[in-house]
Amino acid sequence: MSTTLSGSGRHRRRIRFGLPVAAAGVAAAVAAALLTSSAGATTALPRPAVKPTTSSASLAELERRVAGAVAGDDTAGETAKKSSYGASTSSSSGAAADDSTVSPMVIGGTTTGISSAPWMAQLWYYDDQGTADEADDLGFFCGGAVVAPTKILTAAHCVKGYDWYNYGAVVTGTAQLPTTDDAGNSDLHGGTASLPHRQWYHPSYSSTTIDNDIAVITLGNPVKATPIRMTTSGDTASYAAGTNAKVYGWGRTSSTSQDVSDTLKTATLPIQSDTTCTGYYGSEFIKGHMVCAGTPASGSDSGTTSACNGDSGGPLVVNGRIVGVVSWGVQNCVAKGAYSVFAKVTSYVGAVYPRVDDTNISGDHRADLWLRNASTKTGYSKDSSGSSFAARESWGSWSGVNVVLQTDLDRDGYQDLIYRRSSDGDLFWSHYVPSSGGWATKQIADNWKTRTRIVVPGDVTGDYQPDLLSVDSGGYLWIYPGNGNGTFGTRVKVGSGWNQYNSLRGHGDFTGDGRTDLIARASSNGYLYLYKGTGKSGTGAFSSRVKVREWAGYNAFDAVGDISGDGKADFLARTPGGALYLYKGTGKATSEIFDTRISVGTDFKQYDIFG
């Protein structure tokens, strides 16, 4: 795709920094009655069979995809036939550029090891089209960053239009690009290949303007790579002009060479103001959605430090957090006065966070519903279709418990359950173990009979680890900071007065700022209040409550996450007569927090536990 840019009196061609990969050179101790001991067999309750997400792709298949991508010659966001880098185009440095086969690297960067950027990921895509003709094969490369054990943050132009589950592989844990031998076997140089299980890109992404260029790939199994956190919504300090940021990637290191860097590179780029970016790129730079960085390019390799082809999807990092995702720039990356352009992460945290915390029972991007029949004590799950629920699936007898909550404490992408035993108040964590194909149950709390509310809303403290909250008999709210493995740190008191609420629910972000919130309903008058999360712990964990609704006509509530799949947390409310309504989230922290209710059934009076 060709795009003519205006600014500085010249015509420029904007390019995605995707990698055509055919080039030469590719070669806590737990406090306050929380326990960590395994539970006895008597606590195990029925679980449905879980189909492993890796069943369709063996390691050999993933390595085959990598090898095919290494031999590819296409660019993320387009095939060579529709290349935005037309052959025999002159670059600003005077070098001929057949950009349909250009390779990647950070220009002006230095080599770095995986220990300095353990979260870096390589995204390899190969589709041989099922024909004997190699000319129609599709193979390309993008960068990405591990932001949770099964989540890769990358660029939308690396994802939209591609089937990553059937044709992709993600390599983590290595600073080296793979090499292949004459037989087509891949050497990952100590890295691990993973199957991309699901993919999401921003629904407003435009391939014409390369706006909203952000995406998330969900892996089939968690990786060992240490995640890096995204910046938060409303972050302005990281984008102040002159702030030093680091970009990472395997992209081009020269405007005159097609060679790629077989080792990870990094470069320091100063953040530029929106005014400066607009001054060079004109209307092609979209304020608020994009950020540009670097010193003005010199017109040649000498004196230029820039992201370049092949760095697509990689992170721009400030103070240990991702503030940008490599998106686009000028052809050959060194045109005089040019800057690298990134998707501005602070503007997209509200959309991305639900994708990072989108665990559900069925494995799609929509939160499902777990409930129990009051008379038979049978547990059921109901798969979300976006605005309704499918027929229920039985989980067998769940007698002897009085709380069941849906969560994912270990962030492995599989739905976990937390439940409280009625007889003694002990709390258990039940989670699927992919390596064994079965479920494991661990006791995590002792004698919580008097806890009036227990909530697992996600990451409250801002460390990307799901937390546990409870209200004690005195009305005090406590946070138990999660360690990401089913254990918790020392509890922290939030405040008192929480027993005024007869319902305390939360799962994810209701306001679109990327932080976990709570919804509380007052016993006295049925008023519904929003407690906006701040990403902090202790007394500052939530902002002052905001009244959002008057709900006297309901007697049961549930918050299981993003039911509709639109990136906003939703809410469920049941009438005494058994009608269940879905209130889709709007992302607003006002009385308009929910859209007009949608009926999802009238027979829900039979259930006494909602997950």
Side-chain angles (χ1 to χ4, degrees):
M1 176 203 70
S2 289
T3 303
T4 301
L5 306 185
S6 59
S8 301
R10 294 186 302 278
H11 292 292
R12 283 175 291 280
R13 196 184 232 168
R14 179 172 56 175
I15 60 173
R16 300 174 183 83
F17 285 153
L19 164 57
V21 295
V26 171
V30 180
L34 283 175
L35 305 177
T36 58
S37 59
S38 295
T42 57
T43 63
L45 294 168
R47 305 289 184 275
V50 175
K51 182 180 179 182
T53 57
T54 55
S55 59
S56 66
S58 64
L59 177 59
E61 165 63 15
L62 295 176
E63 291 182 345
R64 184 193 71 82
R65 297 179 186 181
V66 171
V70 167
D73 61 358
D74 297 294
T75 303
E78 63 201 334
T79 65
K81 293 180 180 178
K82 297 185 290 184
S83 174
S84 61
Y85 326 115
S88 302
T89 301
S90 296
S91 70
S92 60
S93 61
D98 178 4
D99 285 290
S100 65
T101 57
V102 165
S103 307
M105 297 182 185
V106 176
I107 294 178
T110 58
T111 300
T112 190
I114 196 64
S115 61
S116 299
W119 24 261
M120 282 301 293
Q122 304 169 18
L123 279 56
W124 299 93
Y125 190 92
Y126 175 61
D127 179 5
D128 64 8
Q129 304 291 311
T131 69
D133 184 3
E134 295 183 356
D136 65 357
D137 291 356
L138 175 65
F140 66 85
F141 168 88
C142 277
V146 180
V147 292
T150 61
K151 305 291 180 177
I152 308 296
L153 185 70
T154 188
H157 75 260
C158 297
V159 173
K160 185 178 182 180
Y162 301 111
D163 182 355
W164 278 90
Y165 178 75
N166 286 306
Y167 302 108
V170 174
V171 176
T172 56
T174 179
Q176 299 292 119
L177 288 184
T179 52
T180 57
D181 58 23
D182 292 339
N185 299 312
S186 296
D187 182 351
L188 302 184
H189 300 287
T192 300
S194 299
L195 173 69
H197 179 49
R198 302 197 303 272
Q199 62 190 60
W200 171 89
Y201 59 86
H202 197 283
S204 298
Y205 166 68
S206 169
S207 60
T208 302
T209 62
I210 319 182
D211 189 18
N212 305 303
D213 192 14
I214 200 157
V216 175
I217 288 179
T218 299
L219 304 180
N221 280 316
V223 295
K224 295 180 180 179
T226 303
I228 183 173
R229 295 159 64 184
M230 296 178 291
T231 191
T232 56
S233 175
D235 176 19
T236 57
S238 297
Y239 300 95
T243 300
N244 281 334
K246 283 193 171 185
V247 63
Y248 296 82
W250 289 269
R252 291 173 68 184
T253 56
S254 173
S255 63
T256 63
S257 170
Q258 295 183 4
D259 288 348
V260 301
S261 176
D262 58 2
T263 60
L264 182 63
K265 300 282 186 179
T266 184
T268 299
L269 307 177
I271 299 290
Q272 297 294 337
S273 69
D274 290 340
T275 300
T276 297
C277 302
T278 302
Y280 184 81
Y281 287 112
S283 62
E284 303 296 335
F285 179 84
I286 301 176
K287 180 180 178 181
H289 290 189
M290 300 173 183
V291 59
C292 80
T295 55
S298 67
S300 66
D301 290 352
S302 177
T304 296
T305 302
S306 174
C308 198
N309 305 75
D311 294 321
S312 268
L316 183 71
V317 178
V318 172
N319 294 327
R321 296 198 179 194
I322 302 177
V323 301
V325 171
V326 180
S327 183
W328 61 272
V330 295
Q331 185 170 320
N332 287 325
C333 314
V334 298
K336 190 173 180 61
Y339 305 95
S340 303
V341 182
F342 306 80
K344 192 173 185 179
V345 170
T346 188
S347 299
Y348 296 107
V349 171
V352 171
Y353 181 78
R355 303 285 68 86
V356 175
D357 191 32
D358 71 348
T359 299
N360 56 91
I361 297 168
S362 61
D364 57 18
H365 287 295
R366 296 185 293 266
D368 306 315
L369 177 61
W370 195 98
L371 27 71
R372 188 187 72 171
N373 183 279
S375 60
T376 67
K377 307 304 180 186
T378 302
Y380 296 98
S381 61
K382 293 173 74 70
D383 186 21
S384 170
S385 62
S387 58
S388 62
F389 292 101
R392 66 188 187 182
E393 176 189 352
S394 175
W395 285 44
S397 176
W398 274 68
S399 63
V401 302
N402 54 21
V403 170
V404 179
L405 301 169
Q406 298 166 232
T407 185
D408 183 18
L409 291 185
D410 54 6
R411 279 285 172 92
D412 64 355
Y414 292 96
Q415 180 81 70
D416 304 341
L417 290 179
I418 286 181
Y419 61 90
R420 183 173 64 181
R421 192 161 55 193
S422 305
S423 60
D424 54 13
D426 289 355
L427 200 68
F428 298 91
W429 170 49
S430 187
H431 61 106
Y432 180 71
V433 182
S435 60
S436 67
W439 289 76
T441 300
K442 174 188 289 188
Q443 185 176 349
I444 58 174
D446 178 69
N447 190 20
W448 271 24
K449 270 188 172 182
T450 59
R451 301 298 170 106
T452 59
R453 298 286 173 262
I454 303 172
V455 193
V456 278
D459 170 29
V460 172
T461 60
D463 62 358
Y464 273 26
Q465 306 291 5
D467 305 311
L468 173 67
L469 280 64
S470 78
V471 179
D472 63 23
S473 58
Y476 289 96
L477 178 66
W478 300 89
I479 297 173
Y480 295 83
N483 295 323
N485 59 4
T487 66
F488 302 87
T490 303
R491 70 177 187 174
V492 180
K493 184 188 293 184
V494 176
S496 61
W498 289 82
N499 274 338
Q500 66 181 292
Y501 303 116
N502 58 10
S503 177
L504 184 62
R505 292 285 189 169
H507 191 119
D509 169 27
F510 288 99
T511 62
D513 63 1
R515 300 184 180 98
T516 297
D517 308 312
L518 292 178
I519 299 287
R521 195 248 202 171
S523 306
S524 59
N525 52 24
Y527 291 176
L528 204 67
Y529 294 96
L530 166 70
Y531 282 88
K532 286 186 61 176
T534 64
K536 301 175 183 179
S537 191
T539 57
F542 300 99
S543 300
S544 299
R545 70 181 190 180
V546 176
K547 179 185 172 184
V548 291
R549 289 292 173 96
E550 295 185 10
W551 272 5
Y554 298 106
N555 66 353
F557 306 90
D558 202 4
V560 293
D562 178 15
I563 295 169
S564 64
D566 64 357
K568 304 179 183 71
D570 304 316
F571 205 66
L572 293 164
R574 185 191 67 180
T575 67
L580 187 67
Y581 292 95
L582 167 63
Y583 284 85
K584 292 184 179 181
T586 63
K588 300 176 182 179
T590 66
S591 60
E592 298 177 343
I593 188 172
F594 301 126
D595 217 334
T596 303
R597 71 181 187 178
I598 300 172
S599 175
V600 293
T602 59
D603 60 346
F604 285 84
K605 187 178 181 179
Q606 63 182 294
Y607 302 111
D608 63 345
I609 293 180
F610 291 80

